[in-house]
Amino acid sequence: REAPIPKMLAPCLLRRVLLTVPLVFVVALLLAEPVRSDQEAGTAIPAESRPCVDCHAFEFMQRALQDLKKTAYNLDTRTETLLLQVEKRNLCDCVTANLLN
């Protein structure tokens, strides 16, 4: 005959394991040394050979300005095209109206 104690012990042990595993994980995360922001992965590039932050910002601004110039040119061209279409339509409407009178 089986003893009733192991049947009751299994759910209790399972519950303890389910509570202990996350607790151990949280404690491990708290005790682990955080990665500092000054630690870089891979090989370190000497500061002398890296472009300065201002140089990167200047290059970025140059590219942004070039993009803006292209966009402005495209908008100007499109506006001129639309204005010519409107003038042509108005001229055609005017000529058609004059022919009907």
Side-chain angles (χ1 to χ4, degrees), residues 1-20:
R1 169 180 151 156
E2 249 181 65
I5 295 174
K7 285 184 181 180
M8 292 171 39
L9 190 58
C12 182
L13 288 175
L14 181 63
R15 196 174 310 133
R16 282 193 181 185
V17 168
L18 289 176
L19 291 174
T20 306

Side-chain angles (χ1 to χ4, degrees), residues 56-71:
H56 283 300
F58 182 73
E59 290 171 1
F60 175 78
M61 293 303 291
Q62 275 187 322
R63 285 192 300 264
L65 184 60
Q66 288 173 353
D67 291 344
L68 285 173
K69 285 181 180 177
K70 287 178 187 175
T71 303

Side-chain angles (χ1 to χ4, degrees), residues 70-84:
K70 287 178 187 175
T71 303
Y73 176 77
N74 289 338
L75 286 173
D76 285 343
T77 304
R78 182 73 179 139
T79 303
E80 286 180 20
T81 303
L82 289 173
L83 286 174
L84 287 174

Side-chain angles (χ1 to χ4, degrees), residues 10-72:
C12 182
L13 288 175
L14 181 63
R15 196 174 310 133
R16 282 193 181 185
V17 168
L18 289 176
L19 291 174
T20 306
V21 170
L23 180 64
V24 170
F25 183 69
V26 169
V27 170
L29 285 176
L30 290 174
L31 295 177
E33 183 178 334
V35 177
R36 295 188 313 256
S37 62
D38 60 345
Q39 293 177 341
E40 296 181 20
T43 58
I45 300 172
E48 298 83 28
S49 64
R50 284 183 284 174
C52 62
V53 174
D54 290 338
C55 298
H56 283 300
F58 182 73
E59 290 171 1
F60 175 78
M61 293 303 291
Q62 275 187 322
R63 285 192 300 264
L65 184 60
Q66 288 173 353
D67 291 344
L68 285 173
K69 285 181 180 177
K70 287 178 187 175
T71 303

